Amino acid sequence: MNQVFEHAKQQYAEIGVDVEKAMTRLSAIPISMHCWQGDDIQGFENLAGPVSGGIQATGDYPGRARNGEELMMDIDKAFSLIPGKHRLNLHASYGFFGESKIDRDQIRPEHFDKWIDFALERGICLDFNATCFSHPLSKDGTLSSEQTKVRDFWIAHVKACLKISEHIAHRQRDPVTLNIWIPDGFKDIPADRFGPRRRLKDSLDQILAADYDRSLVNLTVESKVFGIGLESYTVGSHEFYLNYAAQNGIIYLLDNGHFHPTEVVADKISSTLLFFDKVALHMTRPVRWDSDHVVRLDDEILGLAQEIIVHGEEHFLLGTDFFDASVNRVAAWVIGMRNVQKALLIALLQPHDQMRALQDARNLSKLLALQEELKTYPFGIVWQEFCQRSGVPTLNWYPEIEKYEEEVTKDRKAEDEWI
Ligand code: RNT
Ligand code: ZN
């Protein structure tokens, strides 16, 4: 018997926390791991140019995945160091398109069959994203463009993504979250704030008019405050999408990098869940701007985790979203995913009913004392036990990354061709 663990369990039991229950619950919470950390959001299109649309992956750490096979290998490596079963979140630009040039409005379900096979073999599920950036037709806006031709192209793209998501959902027998994020905005103060939003609304209405199965596809819309080169105005703002999602029975996605730096995104969840059954999250770490640094175990992520556990994870579609090219990319996934899980475990190890009762009784001094003491409870011991039971390394997993780097990723040359 592991006495250290038994002692920790006892300490939690004394404040009414069941450690076994917490671990069982954690092992059943899937997080949709974003595929794009592995290759700096390059995707496998033959039309790939630089990443554009107000987002940037900076850094030149060697070993970026250069094609589907390499990305799959790297994802396998990352999952082998992350406890639990998760999901994999793909972007439309990651289809297997062969030699041909398939434009975004032409993508089809079969371009993703290799991914579906990959997921089915591993017993995991996929999620999906429309790719409305890094494309010649996304330069001056996409779904909100003033040009009908451009809007129609992106409407066709998202409709193609709906078909692909339905296909994936059928094959995996589990709904797919399909997220829409667009970069549309202006660098400088626009003359007309209404027109672009009216056009975005109209484009989304056309997309929703497509006959798709709402029980198979959870359509989410992701807001943003600004992007690089698009600092003054973002068409798809917080208010825009929150209202749009509420009115149209779809799901709102909060990315915690998409707000002003002093806003607390965790605080937005309870207000949202009063009016929606589900909310979607992109968990990331902004540093001064939407820089998409690897998730650390910081206050922001702890706050989000607390809301997830208090409201119930069944009300959330959880995903990660970061892309740091300055560090080992497999390690980035592992660090970020494990940190989300640690935050969830910390939240699961809190006596929420007791804390709520203290608040309702206005016993705020006792609440403060408990909240602060909880920070030194032996969470790390429980985390190690959880990793061990899940069959992944506990604390010292980095040597696995070093070995993989030495044997696999080190010799990948940046100039080698893509698929
Ligand atoms: C961009 C959004 C969006 C992207 C991915 C690649 O600011 O966060 O979610 O990061 O779709
Ligand atoms: Zn995001």
Side-chain angles (χ1 to χ4, degrees):
M1 190 166 68
N2 177 346
Q3 289 198 346
V4 180
F5 174 63
E6 290 306 321
H7 183 64
K9 216 160 122 174
Q10 184 54 35
Q11 286 190 307
Y12 279 111
E14 280 161 22
I15 51 164
V17 172
D18 185 332
V19 165
E20 292 293 338
K21 263 198 193 147
M23 289 194 296
T24 307
R25 206 168 141 190
L26 181 62
S27 64
I29 304 179
I31 301 155
S32 200
M33 186 174 90
H34 59 304
C35 75
W36 51 93
Q37 166 63 67
D39 73 332
D40 314 338
I41 343 172
Q42 293 282 329
F44 314 146
E45 292 166 309
N46 298 312
L47 31 100
V51 174
S52 70
I55 53 175
Q56 273 178 12
T58 58
D60 59 356
Y61 198 91
R64 183 186 71 181
R66 296 159 302 177
N67 54 51
E69 285 69 33
E70 290 182 353
L71 190 59
M72 284 175 172
M73 275 173 77
D74 293 357
I75 289 166
D76 271 337
K77 187 72 215 172
F79 276 142
S80 77
L81 300 170
I82 299 165
K85 267 227 184 303
H86 297 283
R87 302 174 68 95
L88 180 65
N89 202 4
L90 295 178
H91 243 288
S93 48
Y94 287 76
F96 286 86
F97 303 113
E99 294 298 304
S100 36
K101 176 180 178 298
I102 307 278
D103 213 342
R104 301 260 173 94
D105 56 341
Q106 301 297 322
I107 55 172
R108 288 188 308 275
E110 59 264 32
H111 298 132
F112 295 87
D113 275 332
K114 269 197 197 164
W115 279 117
I116 305 172
D117 295 339
F118 171 85
L120 289 177
E121 277 161 25
R122 285 149 185 81
I124 63 168
C125 290
L126 297 175
D127 292 309
F128 207 65
N129 294 263
T131 310
C132 304
F133 51 87
S134 305
H135 186 280
L137 282 185
S138 67
K139 235 170 39 26
D140 296 323
T142 62
L143 293 174
S144 80
S145 165
E146 42 297 330
Q147 292 182 51
T148 314
K149 186 179 105 245
V150 173
R151 289 200 306 282
D152 285 348
F153 175 83
W154 292 107
I155 291 168
H157 170 62
V158 181
K159 284 186 174 172
C161 291
L162 277 170
K163 285 259 165 298
I164 294 163
S165 301
E166 275 185 322
H167 171 74
I168 298 172
H170 271 129
R171 283 202 58 200
Q172 71 189 17
R173 298 169 188 275
D174 201 68
V176 167
T177 297
L178 168 59
N179 183 46
I180 303 175
W181 168 74
I182 60 165
D184 304 25
F186 284 96
K187 181 182 175 78
D188 220 327
I189 299 169
D192 174 16
R193 291 174 183 269
F194 192 72
R197 291 190 171 130
R198 188 171 39 73
R199 290 191 292 270
L200 174 56
K201 180 173 181 293
D202 179 70
S203 295
L204 292 171
D205 288 347
Q206 290 189 51
I207 291 163
L208 284 187
D211 158 43
Y212 77 97
D213 186 340
R214 287 192 178 217
S215 71
L216 294 180
V217 183
N218 288 315
L219 192 63
T220 64
V221 281
E222 177 180 6
S223 71
K224 192 161 177 174
V225 65
F226 82 93
I228 295 281
L230 304 157
E231 288 84 358
S232 299
Y233 169 82
T234 296
V235 185
S237 62
H238 173 62
E239 294 77 6
F240 178 91
Y241 281 129
L242 191 59
N243 285 320
Y244 190 86
Q247 195 175 52
N248 292 281
I250 60 170
I251 299 170
Y252 180 49
L253 188 147
L254 291 148
D255 176 313
N256 65 293
H258 291 187
F259 293 85
H260 292 288
T262 56
E263 280 185 273
V264 177
V265 177
D267 185 56
K268 300 175 189 301
I269 289 173
S270 43
S271 312
T272 312
L273 281 180
L274 271 173
F275 302 96
F276 291 84
D277 175 53
K278 278 191 173 40
V279 62
L281 294 181
H282 270 182
M283 289 179 281
T284 186
R285 181 164 55 100
V287 178
R288 304 191 191 283
W289 69 287
D290 179 35
S291 56
D292 288 285
H293 280 59
V294 179
V295 169
R296 280 185 187 256
L297 187 57
D298 60 9
D299 284 350
E300 173 93 357
I301 218 73
L302 288 167
L304 289 174
Q306 165 115 357
E307 293 301 308
I308 295 164
I309 297 308
V310 166
H311 290 280
E313 54 273 26
E314 63 279 14
H315 296 292
F316 292 83
L317 300 167
L318 302 177
T320 45
D321 181 13
F322 46 81
F323 28 96
D324 189 340
S326 74
V327 292
N328 181 296
R329 292 167 185 78
V330 178
W333 268 321
V334 178
I335 296 164
M337 287 287 284
R338 284 173 67 113
N339 278 338
V340 171
Q341 289 183 288
K342 285 179 213 158
L344 290 168
L345 182 58
I346 289 173
L348 283 163
L349 293 172
Q350 293 185 354
H352 294 290
D353 292 343
Q354 198 193 130
M355 290 160 77
R356 193 181 299 116
L358 289 172
Q359 175 180 322
D360 290 347
R362 289 259 149 198
N363 196 345
L364 302 180
S365 338
K366 192 169 176 188
L367 176 60
L368 178 60
L370 180 55
Q371 283 170 327
E372 289 306 296
E373 284 315 311
L374 275 169
K375 291 181 180 167
T376 61
Y377 267 63
F379 138 79
I381 307 291
V382 183
W383 170 249
Q384 288 183 52
E385 178 73 16
F386 180 73
C387 289
Q388 211 161 30
R389 290 191 194 179
S390 311
V392 303
T394 54
L395 304 173
N396 190 22
W397 51 268
Y398 207 82
E400 288 284 324
I401 297 287
E402 287 168 327
K403 190 161 162 260
Y404 190 71
E405 192 164 60
E406 193 49 42
E407 289 170 3
V408 182
T409 56
K410 196 182 76 205
D411 295 325
R412 289 179 187 167
K413 302 254 181 330
E415 64 271 20
D416 286 0
E417 262 316 294
W418 293 77
I419 264 194

